[in-house]
């Protein structure tokens, strides 16, 4: 089993500077510390729509890589987006799901089907170009570069246990300045 | 006694057999009590609207149910509430409110401000428990309005009833 922050550290090392990253909730707080960038898209609001935000960005910017850092509970609330994404088939979209089996930010209760549901299987069945899962950090480190270069939509489930709780300062998560910086960085 | 124990007591007094939920930290202790109770089927959901249909089916099969959520979950239910409204399925909702009291997450403000109005527009009766002593009578009234009155009723649990969450404490959604 991996820790989320360890996975994110590896991802931050290998990701190109011009990649747009859509990150949800607890993952977002970890991510923006590891990879401060105006291209971190952290305006996901309601918990389920990160994948849909990412699809819109990927379609709107076909020349950029768009990475979404989703959660298992978040994706469960919007499972249909797997089919929508596969139907649109954006070659530049990479969809990671941090799978810890809990609604971590809401009190830590188990998600439905925790431990039984096969998220990579869902994505594969929906029609993603590729879908894989990782539960060992070495495997993730070794496999990541080919994932990042593969033709999308690419899906990868990361089997994780909760890491140390991040500092959750929502002032880092909203505000007109962050929004404007994101827009400017896309130009 | 904590206010959540008053809600749990009202569930038991009404022979509630199914508790469906998308969790909120404010409902944590209640959810854990329901999970541990042998006479209650606790059902975690992927989205709150599932619970509206689930409880309709449960009631048709003879089981009383309740649906737990936080205020943002109200927004996920609106369309599905037409099922309970049209078919007159009893539907008690217990909603932990956000966006009201020391809220640290700006994304919780919009549904905190509009959940009650949206429920009322969707024909759900609402009452708000703003103090711990309100909870027991209002929980009983909410269940009665649903099961005896055959309607939709929501008890909104003011955020001041829940521990104040701050980002210094790790926060949460």
């Amino acid at each position: 089993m991996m820790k989320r922050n360890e996975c994110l550290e590896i991802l931050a090392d290998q990701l190109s500077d011009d990649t747009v990253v859509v990150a949800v909730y607890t993952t977002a707080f970890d991510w923006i510390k590891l990879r401060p960038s105006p291209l971190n898209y952290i305006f996901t609001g309601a918990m389920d729509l990160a994948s849909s935000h990412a699809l819109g960005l990927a379609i709107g910017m076909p020349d950029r890589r768009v990475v979404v850092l989703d959660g298992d509970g978040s994706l469960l609330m919007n499972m249909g987006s797997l089919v929508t994404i596969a139907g649109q088939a954006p070659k530049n979209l990479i969809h990671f799901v941090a799978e810890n089996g809990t609604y971590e930010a809401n009190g830590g209760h188990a998600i439905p089907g925790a431990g039984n549901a096969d998220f990579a299987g869902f994505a594969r069945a929906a029609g993603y170009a590729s879908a894989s899962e990782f539960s060992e950090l070495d495997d993730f480190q070794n496999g990541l570069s080919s994932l990042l270069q593969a033709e999308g939509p690419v899906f990868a489930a990361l089997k994780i246990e909760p890491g140390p709780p991040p500092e959750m300062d929502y002032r880092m998560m909203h505000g007109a300045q962050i929004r404007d910086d994101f827009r400017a960085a896309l130009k | 006694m904590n206010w959540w124990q008053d809600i749990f007591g009202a569930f038991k007094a009404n022979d509630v057999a199914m508790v469906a939920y998308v969790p909120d930290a404010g409902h944590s202790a209640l959810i854990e009590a329901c999970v541990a109770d042998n006479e209650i089927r606790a059902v975690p959901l992927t989205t709150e609207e599932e619970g509206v249909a689930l409880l309709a089916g449960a009631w048709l099969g003879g089981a009383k149910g309740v649906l737990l959520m936080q205020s943002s979950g109200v927004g996920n239910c609106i369309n599905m509430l037409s099922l309970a409204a049209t078919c007159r399925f009893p539907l008690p909702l217990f909603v932990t409110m956000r966006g009201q009291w020391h809220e640290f997450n700006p994304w919780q403000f919009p549904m905190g401000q509009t959940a009650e109005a949206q429920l009322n527009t969707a024909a759900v009766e609402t009452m708000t428990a703003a103090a711990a002593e309100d909870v027991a009578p209002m929980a009983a009234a909410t269940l009665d309005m649903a099961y005896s009155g055959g309607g939709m009723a929501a008890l909104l649990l003011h955020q001041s009833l829940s521990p104040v969450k701050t980002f210094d404490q790790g926060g949460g959604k």
Side-chain angles (χ1 to χ4, degrees):
Chain A
M1 197 73 90
M2 308 180 291
K3 291 192 187 305
R4 176 179 47 231
N5 55 316
E6 294 171 342
C7 292
L8 295 180
E9 284 168 16
I10 290 170
L11 184 62
D13 279 347
Q14 296 197 25
L15 217 54
S16 63
D17 290 342
D18 60 349
T19 304
V20 172
V21 177
V22 180
V24 297
Y25 280 98
T26 318
T27 299
F29 287 105
D30 275 338
W31 179 254
I32 59 180
K33 286 207 157 176
L34 287 167
R35 191 253 206 179
S37 164
L39 291 175
N40 292 330
Y41 182 100
I42 49 180
F43 319 104
T44 50
M47 75 180 259
D48 54 331
L49 292 173
S51 48
S52 299
H53 284 279
L55 175 60
L57 290 161
I59 290 172
M61 300 180 296
D63 297 329
R64 271 184 200 271
R65 281 279 184 195
V66 176
V67 167
V68 53
L69 304 176
D70 214 343
D72 47 4
S74 172
L75 179 58
L76 278 181
M77 197 176 264
N78 188 14
M79 285 284 275
S81 71
L82 290 176
V83 177
T84 309
I85 288 168
Q88 293 298 316
K91 294 179 178 174
N92 52 334
L93 179 65
I94 305 168
H95 191 169
F96 291 103
V97 171
E99 188 183 345
N100 64 7
T102 68
Y103 289 111
E104 184 179 4
N106 296 11
H109 300 279
I111 60 169
N116 294 324
D118 174 3
F119 284 88
F122 291 146
R124 196 174 298 119
Y128 272 54
S130 71
S132 52
E133 68 174 42
F134 296 90
S135 54
E136 299 296 332
L137 209 56
D138 286 346
D139 294 341
F140 181 59
Q141 180 139 31
N142 295 331
L144 181 59
S145 67
S146 62
L147 273 188
L148 293 175
Q149 287 159 31
E151 189 165 288
V154 170
F155 184 95
L158 309 177
K159 304 267 191 180
I160 61 158
E161 55 186 319
E167 179 191 352
M168 297 177 99
D169 184 347
Y170 275 85
R171 289 169 296 189
M172 297 147 72
M173 282 292 177
H174 65 107
Q177 187 61 49
I178 298 170
R179 181 199 64 194
D180 291 347
D181 289 349
F182 184 85
R183 287 191 84 194
L186 290 182
K187 286 179 181 164
Chain B
M1 197 150 86
N2 287 315
W3 58 265
W4 68 265
Q5 291 171 304
D6 291 328
I7 298 177
F8 185 71
F11 290 175
K12 297 303 290 179
N14 279 272
D15 298 320
V16 167
M18 181 175 287
V19 175
Y21 60 92
V22 172
D24 174 52
H27 271 321
S28 257
L30 178 61
I31 289 169
E32 282 156 22
C34 293
V35 169
D37 191 287
N38 289 332
E39 295 171 335
I40 292 176
R41 178 78 173 256
V43 183
L45 306 168
T46 68
T47 171
E48 293 82 354
E49 66 174 328
E50 280 187 299
V52 177
L54 177 75
L55 296 193
W59 183 81
L60 289 169
K64 292 179 184 171
V66 299
L67 180 52
L68 313 182
M69 69 187 75
Q70 61 175 332
S71 43
S72 56
V74 170
N76 289 353
C77 288
I78 296 298
N79 184 34
M80 191 59 83
L81 290 174
S82 51
L83 168 74
T86 304
C87 300
R88 299 285 293 170
F89 286 116
L91 182 65
L93 311 176
F94 288 76
V95 182
T96 42
M97 294 300 295
R98 298 289 303 270
Q100 290 182 324
W101 188 257
H102 293 272
E103 180 60 66
F104 63 94
N105 180 348
W107 290 327
Q108 291 287 357
F109 280 89
M111 282 309 304
Q113 289 160 352
T114 64
E116 183 166 25
Q118 295 197 39
L119 286 167
N120 293 154
T121 303
V124 180
E125 293 293 332
T126 53
M127 58 189 98
T128 296
E133 59 266 29
D134 296 341
V135 174
M138 288 187 177
T142 299
L143 295 174
D144 217 22
M145 289 169 79
Y147 301 139
S148 299
M152 300 185 288
L155 176 56
L156 311 181
L157 298 151
H158 196 277
Q159 192 173 5
S160 61
L161 292 171
S162 300
V164 172
K165 293 201 279 189
T166 72
F167 34 78
D168 293 335
Q169 295 167 336
K173 179 179 179 270

